[in-house]
Amino acid sequence: MTIRVLLADDQALLRATFRILVDTVEDMTVIAEAADGREAVDRAVEHRPDVVIMDIRMPDMDGVAATAAICARPELSQTHVLVLTTFENDENVAKALRAGASGFLGKGVSPEVLLSGIRTVAAGESLLSPGATRALITRFLAAPDTDGLRALTDDVRTLTDREREVTTLAAYGKSNAEIADHLVLSPLTVRSHIQRAMTKLGARDRAQLVVSAYQSGLAKPPLR
């Protein structure tokens, strides 16, 4: 299957560079470009991409607002947003993750890392670099978002004990295989628990499950 990519960045040269990179591999293609957040939302609705590569700082509507708008649309439930940023521990990255982004990468990553990140996000997995994620969780993600926190807490109560356990381990960065080893379960069983927890918490993907786990208090931020 070919991964369909939308590029959203206000720098034309950067978009052209990303297009050349993406179009050189057989399993993905650039289907549209956008120079600002508002155009990114319009192009996403028009083309239904698998992945949107989203810059944070853009004119008119920034990447955070555009991410929220895209992730709020039911018809774009299969579209995943990968945020590119100059500052991996920027508060805006945390806001984008809360808004529904599936992960983030620094703009200085290698071409191989970017392509791998696109594939990861397209598959519905989270892309949260361990070092930057620790800072994000400690400073921003673990801070309660009072709008909707009550509803999120109510949703957490619907999780079974095993689903809570698996979700917490996922929030601490454990892979399905690592969770399976820790709980003496099969990876398939772990995947099923993750999927059910995502459904109950209204999480689009694993990244949103992690955000929900910390914001609800199910997972605790690491000690500094």
Side-chain angles (χ1 to χ4, degrees), residues 110-160:
S110 68
E112 293 77 14
V113 170
L114 177 58
L115 294 174
S116 176
I118 293 171
R119 294 185 183 101
T120 298
V121 169
E125 297 296 326
S126 62
L127 189 65
L128 308 173
S129 63
T133 301
R134 181 186 177 93
L136 280 170
I137 289 169
T138 302
R139 296 177 59 194
F140 306 120
L141 294 185
D145 181 0
T146 54
D147 298 333
L149 180 59
R150 182 186 302 276
L152 179 58
T153 303
D154 289 342
D155 289 341
V156 168
R157 294 194 184 100
T158 68
L159 299 179
T160 65

Side-chain angles (χ1 to χ4, degrees), residues 3 18-19 23-24 65 83-84 113 150 170 173 182 203 206 212 216 219:
I3 301 171
F18 287 153
R19 175 182 279 275
D23 284 344
T24 58
V83 172
L84 289 187
V113 170
R150 182 186 302 276
H182 183 78
R206 199 181 185 95
S212 297
S216 67

